[in-house]
Amino acid sequence: MKITDFEYLDYAGKVLNEYGLSKVEINDAEMKITLEKNYSSGGVQTIQPVAATAESPPVAIQADEVIDFNSMTEVTSPIVGVFYSASSPEAEPFVTIGSMVKAGDTLCVIEAMKCFNEVPASQDGKIVDICIKNGDVVEFGQVLFKMQ
């Protein structure tokens, strides 16, 4: 299957949404395709394939804000348990993407053995990625949030 086949691109879009990713890059010998989540409209940006040759390098996608995930602070799970983004099912999440937090602010709770353990922010910053879905089981050391 070629990366330009609709079924392949449709599958990549489903992976983007299912795993809560903000960007998926697909490469082969001839092309590079990037799908990037557009959080302002809730959809996926339409991206034209670009031939990857020496004469015409792949074109970068213009985004509202470019985020360098290599310089992020990762907030990891201190225990094994169930991740909850809010204090109750009816409550608003503690944080969302773009939230500004102070050191010590509660980011989420993890339920382990009928106890709810708060996970605090280790520093002041901005939440740029939430790496887990509400209700998922998390492992010790698993990345929950990325902050800058």
Side-chain angles (χ1 to χ4, degrees):
M1 185 180 289
K2 291 185 174 187
I3 67 171
T4 56
D5 291 343
F6 178 74
E7 293 85 19
Y8 192 79
L9 294 173
D10 185 51
Y11 174 75
K14 287 178 183 175
V15 167
L16 182 80
N17 289 324
E18 182 178 333
Y19 292 99
L21 302 173
S22 58
K23 183 177 180 181
V24 173
E25 289 186 6
I26 306 165
N27 296 305
D28 70 6
E30 298 173 4
M31 301 202 130
K32 175 182 178 181
I33 295 177
T34 303
L35 299 176
E36 202 167 341
K37 188 81 168 189
N38 182 347
Y39 288 103
S40 61
S41 68
V44 176
Q45 293 178 354
T46 304
I47 310 228
Q48 296 181 350
V50 177
T53 65
E55 297 82 37
S56 62
V59 177
I61 302 303
Q62 295 291 328
D64 294 341
E65 179 180 352
V66 177
I67 299 171
D68 180 13
F69 281 93
N70 295 321
S71 65
M72 295 290 136
T73 298
E74 294 180 338
V75 178
T76 59
S77 176
I79 56 174
V80 174
V82 180
F83 172 88
Y84 293 107
S85 60
S87 58
S88 71
E90 302 83 30
E92 291 291 317
F94 291 109
V95 295
T96 58
I97 293 176
S99 295
M100 297 301 293
V101 297
K102 300 273 186 205
D105 286 355
T106 301
L107 302 177
C108 67
V109 292
I110 298 178
E111 179 187 9
M113 300 186 335
K114 306 287 182 194
C115 293
F116 290 89
N117 304 281
E118 294 182 353
V119 176
S122 58
Q123 65 183 34
D124 294 355
K126 178 180 176 182
I127 302 295
V128 294
D129 198 14
I130 300 173
C131 306
I132 191 88
K133 292 181 186 173
N134 194 45
D136 284 354
V137 175
V138 296
E139 299 292 327
F140 172 79
Q142 182 175 353
V143 177
L144 304 175
F145 301 94
K146 293 188 180 186
M147 296 176 57
Q148 77 183 101

